[in-house]
Amino acid sequence: METEPGDPQTFHVESNAAESDFRSLFRLETSLVEVCKKLLELSPELAPYAKGLPGLRIMRPTATAETAISFLCTPNNSLHRIVPMVKRLAAKGEVLLEHRGRTIYAFPSIGQVADLSEAELKEAKFGYRARTIPEIARQMIDRGGEEWLEDLKQKPYEQVHEELIELTGIGPKLADCIALFALDKTEAVPLDTHMWKMAVKHYFPQFEGKTVTGKRYQEVSEFFRDQFGELAGWAQQLLFYDSLTGGQATIDA
DNA sequence: CTATAACCGTAA
DNA sequence: TACGGTTATA
């Protein structure tokens, strides 16, 4: 499957699903070459990071609740711990099938996560999130659970963010992650520590050495939305990926 | 308003 | 021992 002209990357996918499903999943209708060009016109100082963009795609959200719940594992955490945590969480759902001694589980529903015991998650190395994850799930259930999330998808970004941070345990960054990756709100610009440093370095020198407050988060996040509009999420990916790879951004992986 | 401690596990 | 988001507190 070719991605786009000028982009040497190709996908090799074996599946019984239709090619159109993968085009949708990886947003292949978006030309990253074009996105890159527009981003550099808007902000030439991004040039050093641009080489990481071709091949770096924001997937279109599919499993809303599953994605939202998975992101509850991410605050104040690193990828190396998040991945195994999500895997252990994913094994808490219903048994789908047993095959050759292996059990396949469905991802737990929000209600099932809400009912997980703190002790059970502590056992699974969730640390203090053994308390916070079911607590957040319970607050989601109070608001309608899966249905509440689906309804949020239809609402404007500002309202989505507002409603999400009402839950204790969901701050501005996590709310933006859920808005972007689970609810398809492409205006969301999650400001994690990497993004904060990039923003300070390139656009907010006055915040050098300052901590992130709610007000500053709002200001910087809004700046990215104003500066890049619909492309804010791509700018975010660009800077985030470079920061993750320590400036050694390549598309080999 | 802003800054800081505490939360937990990993090794950024 | 530093680190990473959020909350509670000063």
Side-chain angles (χ1 to χ4, degrees):
Chain A
M1 197 187 323
E2 296 247 343
T3 53
E4 58 187 278
D7 180 352
Q9 297 298 298
T10 54
F11 282 101
H12 298 280
V13 179
E14 281 186 44
S15 169
N16 56 2
E19 180 173 324
S20 60
D21 292 336
F22 287 95
R23 293 197 166 275
S24 169
L25 185 62
F26 292 110
R27 295 182 199 271
L28 294 191
E29 76 278 4
T30 302
S31 162
L32 289 187
V33 173
E34 283 305 306
V35 167
C36 215
K37 224 166 86 184
K38 288 180 196 160
L39 284 179
L40 291 185
E41 280 167 20
L42 291 168
S43 192
E45 60 272 32
L46 291 182
Y49 311 107
K51 64 179 186 298
L53 193 57
L56 182 65
R57 291 189 165 271
I58 304 174
M59 290 175 74
R60 177 169 279 117
T62 49
T64 304
E66 184 170 330
T67 307
I69 291 288
S70 296
F71 266 100
L72 302 187
C73 298
T74 65
N76 200 18
N77 211 347
S78 64
L79 210 49
H80 294 96
R81 192 154 58 111
I82 292 167
V83 173
M85 275 175 71
V86 171
K87 280 185 181 166
R88 288 190 288 263
L89 192 59
K92 299 291 185 185
E94 315 259 325
V95 173
L96 277 183
L97 62 92
E98 314 219 18
H99 180 65
R100 293 181 189 173
R102 284 198 55 189
T103 309
I104 309 295
Y105 298 90
F107 197 90
S109 66
I110 301 179
Q112 285 172 323
V113 174
D115 287 339
L116 291 173
S117 76
E118 180 173 352
E120 183 180 4
L121 289 178
K122 270 259 164 67
E123 186 79 16
K125 310 251 183 207
F126 276 68
Y128 65 84
R129 294 178 196 79
R131 178 179 53 80
T132 60
I133 292 176
E135 204 170 270
I136 297 171
R138 265 176 251 124
Q139 298 172 72
M140 289 179 168
I141 290 296
D142 289 343
R143 286 160 171 77
E146 277 83 358
E147 211 177 299
W148 174 66
L149 283 180
E150 287 303 327
D151 289 346
L152 280 184
K153 262 186 167 167
Q154 309 305 324
K155 297 182 178 176
Y157 162 74
E158 288 76 14
Q159 191 182 346
V160 169
H161 195 261
E162 221 171 89
E163 287 197 40
L164 285 173
I165 59 176
E166 278 175 21
L167 309 208
T168 302
I170 298 188
K173 142 70 164 60
L174 181 52
D176 273 328
C177 284
I178 294 175
L180 176 62
F181 295 112
L183 304 176
D184 207 8
K185 296 296 157 194
T186 52
E187 307 96 316
V189 182
L191 281 191
D192 77 324
T193 184
H194 306 292
M195 277 302 288
W196 173 253
K197 285 173 187 153
M198 285 292 188
V200 169
K201 180 175 172 186
H202 290 292
Y203 308 107
F204 292 85
Q206 69 273 32
F207 291 156
E208 183 69 54
K210 301 282 187 186
T211 59
V212 189
T213 64
K215 189 177 151 67
R216 288 176 193 151
Y217 186 100
Q218 168 73 14
E219 184 180 349
V220 173
S221 172
E222 212 168 275
F223 163 81
F224 277 108
R225 268 189 292 284
D226 289 346
Q227 174 87 349
F228 299 108
E230 300 234 314
L231 299 180
W234 296 105
Q236 196 264 351
Q237 288 299 292
L238 195 74
L239 292 171
F240 182 74
Y241 186 65
D242 181 83
S243 187
L244 262 192
T245 54
Q248 303 300 304
T250 66
I251 48 175
D252 298 333

